[in-house]
Amino acid sequence: MLAYKELQDILDTTVEWEKKMLDLYEVAEIAIKQEAAKDAIKFLKSNHSSHMEILKNIDVKDYGPNEYVKFTKDYHEEDIVPQREIHRDSTADELCEYMLEYENKMRDFYQLIRDHLTTEQQRELFDSLVTFKENQIENILNCKNKHI
């Protein structure tokens, strides 16, 4: 089934998904015991928190009309948020894998939206969101490879 949603509604939904990612970084910060890895997670969390502040304050009207965007399917939280149990006793490797899965799904979602936008300014906005996710993914991989 095709779904059409207003771009501002899509951004508002992604803010909620990104908040859940921030929660994951907070759990990881507590759960990871190795100091160097903990510092890397703090850096990722700080990056994500800064990104959240920007994302929360985006008004799509600054980038063109608040148009309806066609999806190939109607996305729900369970399509983006990995459905695994994560807790304070999870290993650092498990946390990194979870973070990578989540960040990859968010990047793919932002790419999907970008590909359906009609104005250049809105595509550039979503390109910047994709780029941020790619940077976060790279940073998580670096953290995992160096510290875990």
Side-chain angles (χ1 to χ4, degrees):
M1 176 171 95
L2 292 178
Y4 293 84
K5 297 200 187 268
E6 283 191 358
L7 188 55
Q8 188 65 54
D9 291 339
I10 292 168
L11 275 175
D12 293 344
T13 299
T14 62
V15 166
E16 294 305 312
W17 292 341
E18 295 285 5
K19 282 180 186 174
K20 291 182 186 301
M21 187 69 210
L22 188 59
D23 292 344
L24 176 59
Y25 284 122
E26 289 173 354
V27 169
E29 183 180 358
I30 293 167
I32 293 176
K33 303 299 180 212
Q34 185 185 23
E35 209 52 45
K38 188 179 284 283
D39 289 343
I41 294 297
K42 286 179 184 177
F43 169 76
L44 290 168
K45 179 181 147 192
S46 175
N47 259 2
H48 195 82
S49 185
S50 296
H51 169 74
M52 281 286 306
E53 286 307 308
I54 294 168
L55 190 60
K56 285 190 310 192
N57 294 310
I58 291 175
D59 183 351
V60 295
K61 292 175 189 156
D62 294 340
Y63 299 89
N66 185 18
E67 63 185 43
Y68 279 90
V69 179
K70 178 180 86 171
F71 289 88
T72 54
K73 69 179 223 168
D74 191 12
Y75 273 84
H76 300 282
E77 183 174 300
E78 57 271 11
D79 297 323
I80 302 295
V81 179
Q83 302 300 306
R84 289 193 232 165
E85 280 290 315
I86 294 293
H87 43 79
R88 290 176 190 246
D89 295 333
S90 296
T91 67
D93 190 54
E94 289 172 328
L95 290 167
C96 283
E97 286 302 317
Y98 188 89
M99 288 185 285
L100 283 169
E101 181 180 353
Y102 203 150
E103 293 287 16
N104 276 303
K105 285 182 176 186
M106 287 301 298
R107 182 206 52 216
D108 294 347
F109 181 78
Y110 288 140
Q111 287 173 328
L112 174 73
I113 300 303
R114 180 201 57 208
D115 293 344
H116 287 88
L117 295 172
T118 57
T119 70
E120 187 62 31
Q121 284 182 307
Q122 289 173 345
R123 280 193 299 274
E124 287 175 3
L125 169 64
F126 275 80
D127 276 339
S128 70
L129 296 174
V130 168
T131 299
F132 173 75
K133 288 298 161 186
E134 288 171 346
N135 291 336
Q136 281 292 87
I137 290 165
E138 184 178 332
N139 288 332
I140 293 167
L141 287 170
N142 287 337
C143 174
K144 182 178 178 190
N145 293 334
K146 289 180 183 176
H147 305 294
I148 298 172

